[in-house]
Amino acid sequence: MEKVQLETLTGVIDKKMNRQLKQYIDICARCAICKDACHQYVGTGDFKYLPARRAELIRQIYKRYFDKAGRFMPALYEAREPDDNLLDELYDSTYACTGCRRCMYYCPFSIDTAWILSVAKAILIAAGRGNEMLGQLADAAIFKGDNAAMFEGVMLSGFDDISEEVRAITGDPEHRVHVNKEGADVLYVALAGAHSIRPAAVIFEEAGENWTISMFEAANYGFFYGDTEKARLITKRYIDEAKRLGVKEIVVPECGHAYRVAEFFYEAWSKEPMPFKVTHILEKVDDYIKSGRITVDKGLIEGKVTYHDPCQLGRNGGKFEQPRDIVKAVTDNFVDLTPNRAEQWCCGGGGGIVAMEEFKDVRLKSGAKKVEQLKASGASVLACPCENCRLQIEELNEVHELGMEIWQVIDLVVAAMPLPGNQKGAEATE
Amino acid sequence: METYLWITSVWGVYLGIAVFVLGMGLRIYQWATTPKSPVRLGMFPKPATKSGRFFKMLKDTLIAPHSAKIEPKMWIFAMIFHVAALAAFVGHLRILGEYPILPELLGGEHAMNTFAAYAGSIAGTLMLVGVIFWIVRRTFGPYKNLSVPEDYLLLFLLFGVIIMGDHLRFVYGGFIHADTYQEWFRSLLAFKPMFPEKLLSGNVGWSLGTHMLFTDLFLIYFPFSKLVHTIGSFAANYVRSE
Amino acid sequence: MSDETKVDLELDLKGLLCPLPMVKVSQNINNVPVGGIIRAVATDPGAMADIPAWAQSTGNEVVSADKQGSEFVFLVKRVK
């Protein structure tokens, strides 16, 4: 391996090193308790997807260049240089990982494999092996941020169309998607699709919320790609917007990583305290229902309903109960998946894997446990507040002919609201 | 044999303890001086208070309830090994000096020796069971693929320590008791190393020497191996709840 | 104008939610020759911003982006 290239890659490790990472690398006993925690290993049986193995590749490089014992006796640790073989395997095991951290949950030492893989991504990017699709998605988002004026026209016309649909649902001629509203309390940072804005707008308007929509989407492919600078720039788009509008609170949509990025990562990337309260939209909705600001009727949703905890919102975000309370408010026929909450199986669609065609095969196989759970629940409706989860589960639904309806939670809420045109809320996901 | 004993059970012990203490100190120093992760790495559910997080950390580290849930077999053997190792460690403290109160409670020196013989035999056997389970486990499938020479070296050293410890326990346990080993070990601590007659007569010296040889190597390698999880796991499990 | 343009690949992206229309265009761009055209039809309004942004940041070209009823029709040219 060329010296310059090697120095670049070891430089990445040096730069990324921190106490937790070092401890994770030092203490893993390779006991492999994580093996049955990983949906990808369980679904494929492929050794490279065993969580401890994914981390082991980084450990091998670390031992070879940073650890005295490893330099002295590399063979003892199978320490080696980051050659093509290693980088090939690292690419597969790293970009396939959905970052669900179920392995961390069961690890006796709570080793965060996903955190170790954030270094793996940085190494791959430095080696020119970052995932191209995720990189392009990140760059497109940054381009939109840098050239906001260029897209303002299409955005506004899109919001106008959605406002029209909102009015058709609520029947109130005053209702609309608020844009660029200074002095709003809430900045709702949605996803790029109308499906993420329409039902939220219905709920905000019905609740009489003082809100405004962001010109940018909450999804962050820089995070999935593994480039913290790109990730920071993508998030910064709506942080700057929130500052300009003087809002009190940023509300993120039904998207798993968007919440985690805003609540847990942005401060570390930007090295400044998050100036706003970050709330998940389902926390707001739960509050609206409990305080009577919106009304939902039980009985409008047909069939047995179940709920999937997106890993980034549940295990990694701590929002277990609010979404369930919402679902239980719209139906008496609720059943939980087993296991659930912190032990919920990852659906297999996180980490940007749905955008990477090359991992389609492992992605579908890794959904085996989710399919098993869904079948066992006997439910016909699944509520799921994460875009990537829904894309994956919709595909599993088709491939395994489960015959389920997959809903956003806010669509379920709008459908349960006594409104003149409420069935329209569900159109997008049906 | 006396030369063998001097190498393994005097100079080896000094070297082993020195490397262990310095090595662990260095490892802790490295951890302490590396900046903390900029991102909060905790996961849910997590206690809201600092003391709640502290007790959860202790529970997660000492009982590993989540691991028990996903792989009960591994958890049982790991528990057997670790609890037995702790018991064996505590038992070995007798070579520093006799326990206070306990001998009187049991009814005299003889009863204490009998108790120690039983406790030591059980702990030594259970540790052996744990280590054999791990050796077998690492011989198959994904466990084998995941293993590196370090894993086998540590198991080999542990196996040596335990098998020779058990040998001392079962073969010589009837007539050599803690007081004899105490004489030897306290002479080391006083930097006036000597061996009591009892250890130099017969073949017990060869057994003790080999037990100590494995122990010395184990102590020397300990700080440079994954065994630093003995302390690191507390820190890592605390971060889980942060 | 679009009648005269030779289309090398048709992509039906109707029903796909953002950013998948952009993902599909990106995945297929290498399936047309340099200078070739992809005609993509999407229904998610977000594509109106996503696909041009993707084209700009990857150095490709959106020849046209039109709203036709509830559909969004893109002609994307592979530049390199």
Side-chain angles (χ1 to χ4, degrees):
Chain A
M1 158 158 262
E2 272 181 52
K3 195 160 171 278
V4 182
Q5 161 95 337
L6 182 63
E7 275 172 10
T8 311
L9 301 193
T10 53
V12 169
I13 298 183
D14 202 27
K15 193 162 156 261
K16 285 261 166 187
M17 190 47 61
N18 56 63
R19 186 183 308 158
Q20 278 62 43
L21 199 58
K22 189 161 165 44
Q23 284 175 342
Y24 293 152
I25 288 176
D26 285 342
I27 68 179
C28 175
R30 285 173 291 269
C31 71
I33 278 178
C34 49
K35 106 184 189 318
D36 295 324
C38 177
H39 60 289
Q40 277 179 354
Y41 181 75
V42 170
T44 63
D46 191 335
F47 180 58
K48 71 179 169 219
Y49 298 130
L50 201 156
R53 172 64 185 179
R54 303 187 208 231
E56 186 66 20
L57 296 174
I58 295 300
R59 186 178 296 106
Q60 288 175 342
I61 308 173
Y62 177 81
K63 287 278 183 192
R64 178 76 180 76
Y65 298 100
F66 293 91
D67 184 83
K68 283 191 185 64
R71 274 187 308 222
F72 182 54
M73 299 171 290
L76 198 53
Y77 305 93
E78 292 182 0
R80 57 181 174 141
E81 63 174 34
D83 57 13
D84 283 346
N85 285 336
L86 188 145
L87 291 175
D88 283 345
E89 189 187 335
L90 191 67
Y91 177 88
D92 282 350
S93 63
T94 299
Y95 278 111
C97 175
T98 57
C100 73
R101 302 209 299 170
R102 203 167 182 269
C103 48
M104 176 180 178
Y105 181 84
Y106 288 105
C107 174
F109 309 151
S110 304
I111 292 174
D112 186 348
T113 311
W115 184 240
I116 300 176
L117 294 187
S118 70
V119 180
K121 287 184 179 180
I123 290 174
L124 289 165
I125 291 168
R129 288 164 175 258
N131 179 274
E132 210 185 348
M133 178 55 64
L134 298 181
Q136 285 183 7
L137 284 159
D139 288 340
I142 294 169
F143 184 87
K144 272 202 264 183
D146 290 343
N147 301 278
M150 187 189 290
F151 299 102
E152 199 170 4
V154 290
M155 296 298 287
L156 293 177
S157 123
F159 294 144
D160 277 347
D161 291 347
I162 297 169
S163 294
E164 204 69 51
E165 294 169 11
V166 170
R167 284 190 284 272
I169 296 169
T170 65
D172 186 328
E174 296 293 305
H175 283 179
R176 63 194 175 94
V177 176
H178 298 273
V179 187
N180 275 326
K181 182 177 174 187
E182 278 180 39
D185 293 330
V186 165
L187 177 71
Y188 177 53
V189 190
L191 297 176
H195 65 291
S196 163
I197 303 169
R198 187 193 317 109
V202 169
I203 294 168
F204 283 139
E205 291 293 90
E206 284 290 317
E209 185 62 81
N210 180 17
W211 71 292
T212 188
I213 188 86
S214 170
M215 301 296 272
F216 306 105
E217 70 278 358
N220 192 325
Y221 282 89
F223 173 64
F224 291 151
Y225 181 57
D227 183 325
T228 52
E229 181 54 17
K230 284 193 202 304
R232 182 184 72 87
L233 289 171
I234 293 168
T235 311
K236 188 173 179 289
R237 298 177 309 169
Y238 65 74
I239 300 290
D240 288 348
E241 189 182 28
K243 284 180 184 165
R244 179 168 55 80
L245 296 172
V247 300
K248 296 185 184 121
E249 188 177 357
I250 288 175
V251 173
V252 292
E254 296 200 15
C255 164
H257 75 283
Y259 178 71
R260 188 138 176 255
V261 157
E263 177 70 13
F264 296 97
F265 282 86
Y266 184 69
E267 286 190 350
W269 295 336
S270 66
K271 298 182 179 69
E272 59 166 13
M274 172 61 96
F276 309 99
K277 188 180 166 206
V278 174
T279 314
H280 192 267
I281 185 160
L282 295 186
E283 292 179 83
K284 298 297 279 184
V285 175
D286 183 45
D287 183 52
Y288 295 153
I289 293 175
K290 284 175 182 162
S291 61
R293 283 174 74 175
I294 59 171
T295 319
V296 285
D297 277 351
K298 288 187 181 182
L300 289 176
I301 310 294
E302 283 172 23
K304 196 188 262 188
V305 184
T306 188
Y307 174 76
H308 163 74
D309 297 90
C311 302
Q312 304 302 358
L313 191 62
R315 185 162 42 244
N316 300 328
K319 304 283 172 270
F320 297 115
E321 302 311 324
Q322 296 95 331
R324 278 185 174 73
D325 288 352
I326 295 171
V327 176
K328 286 176 193 163
V330 302
T331 177
D332 277 328
N333 199 358
F334 175 77
V335 61
D336 231 321
L337 296 175
T338 314
N340 53 57
R341 292 179 174 82
E343 293 174 1
Q344 184 71 262
W345 278 100
C346 173
C347 65
I353 196 172
V354 286
M356 296 182 275
E357 195 64 19
E358 62 211 277
F359 293 119
K360 186 175 175 183
D361 189 45
V362 48
R363 171 166 64 81
L364 289 177
K365 280 185 184 158
S366 76
K369 277 286 167 187
K370 187 52 58 189
V371 170
E372 227 173 78
Q373 277 184 294
L374 291 172
K375 277 184 182 163
S377 75
S380 59
V381 176
L382 173 76
C384 172
C386 168
E387 186 89 357
N388 282 330
C389 296
R390 275 197 310 278
L391 289 169
Q392 161 79 348
I393 296 173
E394 274 165 11
E395 203 166 335
L396 293 173
N397 190 29
E398 232 168 82
V399 173
H400 294 270
E401 295 173 355
L402 302 176
M404 293 185 81
E405 290 174 38
I406 320 294
W407 289 60
Q408 286 189 97
V409 179
I410 48 175
D411 274 331
L412 213 55
V413 171
V414 169
M417 287 166 81
L419 297 169
N422 62 10
Q423 74 279 11
K424 293 202 169 177
E427 255 175 21
T429 39
E430 270 171 5
Chain B
M1 183 179 80
E2 218 179 318
T3 320
Y4 183 56
L5 270 177
W6 273 88
I7 293 168
T8 60
S9 311
V10 175
W11 302 117
V13 175
Y14 285 139
L15 182 69
I17 291 176
V19 172
F20 177 82
V21 170
L22 290 175
M24 290 306 272
L26 179 70
R27 186 59 57 125
I28 293 167
Y29 174 79
Q30 283 174 345
W31 285 343
T33 52
T34 310
K36 204 169 182 292
S37 153
V39 177
R40 277 178 292 157
L41 297 174
M43 65 177 6
F44 295 87
K46 61 185 169 197
T49 62
K50 225 173 176 167
S51 63
R53 290 199 288 272
F54 181 77
F55 284 111
K56 180 165 167 30
M57 175 273 282
L58 285 184
K59 188 176 146 203
D60 288 345
T61 310
L62 300 176
I63 306 177
H66 312 101
S67 310
K69 213 165 170 181
I70 198 166
E71 208 189 328
K73 195 168 76 181
M74 170 68 176
W75 182 86
I76 288 169
F77 280 100
M79 270 302 175
I80 285 176
F81 174 83
H82 283 97
V83 171
L86 186 67
F89 178 77
V90 171
H92 275 76
L93 293 178
R94 263 184 105 205
I95 61 172
L96 292 173
E98 183 57 278
Y99 280 107
I101 313 167
L102 194 60
E104 283 101 274
L105 280 179
L106 291 166
E109 198 194 319
H110 181 71
M112 179 69 202
N113 282 338
T114 312
F115 168 73
Y118 279 113
S121 302
I122 293 169
T125 308
L126 291 180
M127 279 178 82
L128 196 61
V129 167
V131 167
I132 289 171
F133 171 77
W134 282 334
I135 292 171
V136 172
R137 194 170 180 265
R138 285 203 187 273
T139 322
F140 297 102
Y143 309 107
K144 183 178 184 224
N145 292 337
L146 190 63
S147 302
V148 304
E150 177 194 5
D151 301 318
Y152 299 110
L153 174 65
L154 285 169
L155 286 172
F156 169 73
L157 291 177
L158 264 179
F159 186 80
V161 170
I162 298 166
I163 204 87
M164 289 317 296
D166 285 350
H167 179 77
L168 286 169
R169 172 82 267 149
F170 291 118
V171 176
Y172 300 102
F175 54 96
I176 302 181
H177 300 293
D179 54 346
T180 311
Y181 297 118
Q182 206 182 93
E183 243 180 283
W184 152 69
F185 198 74
R186 288 175 77 149
S187 77
L188 289 184
L189 294 182
F191 295 104
K192 289 174 189 158
M194 55 75 72
F195 291 98
E197 249 337 279
K198 239 180 169 175
L199 292 179
L200 293 174
S201 58
N203 282 328
V204 63
W206 290 110
S207 301
L208 176 68
T210 311
H211 179 59
M212 291 316 295
L213 175 65
F214 278 113
T215 307
D216 300 340
L217 294 173
F218 184 71
L219 284 176
I220 289 168
Y221 186 46
F222 196 109
F224 309 103
S225 73
K226 61 178 188 178
L227 295 180
V228 293
H229 73 247
T230 40
I231 46 173
S233 54
F234 290 91
N237 275 327
Y238 190 73
V239 168
R240 176 202 188 100
S241 298
E242 262 187 332
Chain C
M1 179 198 119
S2 58
D3 295 337
E4 299 157 21
T5 314
K6 179 181 165 284
V7 172
D8 296 271
L9 184 66
E10 289 271 355
L11 286 181
D12 178 5
L13 310 175
K14 293 193 276 277
L16 290 183
L17 306 177
C18 282
L20 284 187
M22 168 181 18
V23 170
K24 294 290 172 195
V25 170
S26 175
Q27 277 166 358
N28 283 287
I29 196 75
N30 288 335
N31 295 337
V32 299
V34 173
I37 300 271
I38 291 181
R39 182 173 181 274
V41 183
T43 47
D44 192 324
M48 285 298 273
D50 272 6
I51 291 177
W54 165 84
Q56 293 269 7
S57 60
T58 54
N60 289 294
E61 188 188 335
V62 173
V63 180
S64 68
D66 295 315
K67 188 177 174 197
Q68 299 175 0
S70 61
E71 292 177 353
F72 303 92
V73 182
F74 300 90
L75 292 179
V76 182
K77 185 175 175 183
R78 179 176 171 193
V79 175
K80 53 179 185 182

